[in-house]
Amino acid sequence: MFYPKTPFLGKAALLESEILKVHSAALPQLLPWLCQTPRTTTYRVNTLHSSVTEFKQKLESILSFKYGPAAPKVYGLPELPEILCIAPLDSTTVAAYDDTHKQIIVDTSCGAALLRGAHIYAPGVLAMETGTQLRELVNVFADLPGKCKRGTTTRYECEQKIFLGVGEVLMQRHQLYNNTEQAPTGIAVQMKWNMSGVPALGDLSSEAAMLQNLPSIVCVRVLAPQPGERILDMCAAPGNKTSHIAELMRNEGIVIALDNSASRLRAMQSKLEHYSCIVCHHFDATKACHVDASPESNRPPFPPNSFDRILLDAPCSGLGNRPQLCCSIKQPKVLESYPHIQRRLMTQAVQLLRPGGVLVYSTCTVTEAECEELVAWTLRKFPQLQLVEATPKLGAAALPLPELSPTLCELLQRFGPDLDTVGFFIAKFQKL
């Protein structure tokens, strides 16, 4: 049984260097960093609906009620005026492990969310001991090897389960495993505290503000959308960046949001319905440009030179997500497939961007092939594109490559070790 202060990757989650293809100098820092939890929680305030001051007061009130004098600080960042950060809890607020509590087992995906401040929803509970009562405090463990059978009634004995924290039971066994056609929903276990020290608040997202990773917020600020512009979000789901674009445009202009998944597009509709400037389409962005398309239409495909700014937040391997409690090693062929789709999307984006327009490319991964190498390929393939500085600059410079000079590396942003964020990459181009 593991219960370290900093949850770590299990043996099955160690990402081999030859598969990751990251710079060798970064590996000693990268792997431990990927298994740690970002400890700062960030909310992006919708300034069209609320004020930063109002939402800050709300957060401070909730934290004060839950933690009293030990409530963590809520603060802003001058580079991102719409953001509020919640600091981690002081280490003294983490209670000692108590083996007298019954145990709850969750999968590693649920466990990772829990360490970032989430509560446990019904589908995430793999096992609960018989006799567990409502409002009872329980120890929560993640099943690293993935061998726990759903609905297990006895204590799950496993050397590779990891202790995550303590929660309060809000649903009993018969509610979770009643074998009815309708799966249970809602919070099953409300976390009291977790091992990461991130405040256990759940997701407080509403029309007033959205829980969002810091680099994703930086990404849209780098795009710098302006009121009245025509902007394309090529791979829009789940819609968080799309709504941020609309807010920075003050809901004036037009934002075309494309995604090739109908289900993901439906899921984000409620999030975007308050913005009159956003038009969503279920469409494959690798076919978004067509020379015979109507220049007057807001439906894809579109003619060349149609957009003032384009966000290409590309499909990627997602290896920047933290913490990675356990993950299946992706086969080289799978990892190698991502740059191919990224290049196809980039080719469409360059055609769709008007001269003088801005294109931002981003990924939530750490591989060179999907980040720095993709930028080098783009500059070779499209001489009409110029790399410009991605500001505001909250990330570090890119990893060095033979094709990218130190000057060009400084224009890019890589969120990696020594930063309290998820792994992320941002590049900003301008079409000459």
Side-chain angles (χ1 to χ4, degrees), residues 93-407:
T93 61
V94 177
Y97 174 77
D98 186 345
D99 196 44
T100 63
H101 294 331
K102 291 188 176 70
Q103 295 183 6
I104 296 287
I105 308 297
V106 301
D107 60 29
T108 52
S109 176
C110 177
L114 180 158
L115 288 170
R116 297 204 64 186
H119 299 305
I120 304 173
Y121 284 79
V125 182
L126 290 178
M128 174 184 284
E129 292 184 65
T130 300
T132 304
Q133 301 298 312
L134 287 176
R135 302 297 176 181
E136 183 176 352
L137 294 181
V138 290
N139 291 328
V140 180
F141 288 82
D143 173 32
L144 294 187
K147 295 181 179 179
C148 180
K149 294 183 179 180
R150 183 170 182 82
T152 296
T153 59
T154 58
R155 178 164 293 199
Y156 175 59
E157 300 296 343
C158 175
E159 288 298 317
Q160 288 186 310
K161 64 183 181 184
I162 182 173
F163 176 58
L164 303 178
V166 171
E168 180 183 359
V169 175
L170 300 184
M171 288 187 186
Q172 292 181 283
R173 282 191 55 83
H174 71 274
Q175 296 170 280
L176 296 170
Y177 314 115
N178 56 9
N179 296 319
T180 61
E181 293 184 3
Q182 187 172 358
T185 59
I187 297 174
V189 180
Q190 188 172 60
M191 294 304 297
K192 308 302 286 186
W193 60 268
N194 58 55
M195 292 296 292
S196 67
V198 174
L201 300 177
D203 186 351
L204 302 177
S205 293
S206 64
E207 191 178 346
M210 177 178 294
L211 181 67
Q212 192 172 5
N213 287 319
L214 176 66
S216 296
I217 301 170
V218 174
C219 178
V220 174
R221 273 288 174 177
V222 169
L223 182 67
Q226 303 298 312
E229 290 184 327
R230 182 178 171 86
I231 297 178
L232 175 65
D233 187 351
M234 295 185 75
C235 307
N240 298 347
K241 297 182 186 69
T242 317
S243 63
H244 193 192
I245 291 171
E247 288 161 21
L248 293 183
M249 295 171 66
R250 299 201 295 271
N251 206 21
E252 300 172 10
I254 186 164
V255 182
I256 305 293
L258 306 182
D259 203 272
N260 66 354
S261 168
S263 60
R264 286 186 299 179
L265 200 67
R266 285 194 299 271
M268 72 184 204
Q269 290 289 350
S270 61
K271 188 184 301 181
L272 304 180
E273 63 185 5
H274 305 292
Y275 304 92
S276 60
C277 71
I278 298 175
V279 180
C280 298
H281 294 291
H282 173 215
F283 196 80
D284 181 357
T286 64
K287 304 172 183 177
C289 184
H290 196 286
V291 292
D292 295 327
S294 169
E296 307 299 326
S297 176
N298 286 329
R299 299 188 63 84
F302 308 101
N305 307 321
S306 290
F307 295 94
D308 300 300
R309 297 176 198 264
I310 296 176
L311 174 61
L312 173 49
D313 186 47
C316 68
S317 55
L319 294 175
N321 294 323
R322 301 171 62 215
Q324 295 196 34
L325 297 183
C326 187
C327 67
S328 301
I329 300 298
K330 295 191 177 184
Q331 296 299 317
K333 286 185 179 180
V334 176
L335 288 177
E336 290 166 3
S337 69
Y338 291 109
H340 293 296
I341 184 69
Q342 290 156 2
R343 292 180 182 188
R344 291 175 62 194
L345 288 164
M346 181 65 76
T347 300
Q348 294 289 295
V350 174
Q351 296 177 66
L352 289 169
L353 188 65
R354 68 164 178 79
V358 167
L359 164 62
V360 169
Y361 171 81
S362 63
T363 65
C364 58
T365 194
V366 293
T367 68
E368 281 189 28
E370 300 172 80
C371 300
E372 288 87 354
E373 289 180 14
L374 197 288
V375 169
W377 174 86
T378 300
L379 294 175
R380 285 197 314 271
K381 180 77 172 178
F382 305 106
Q384 66 269 46
L385 288 188
Q386 174 186 355
L387 197 62
V388 295
E389 188 173 15
T391 54
K393 193 73 174 284
L394 279 78
L399 299 175
L401 286 182
E403 294 181 81
L404 292 177
S405 68
T407 301

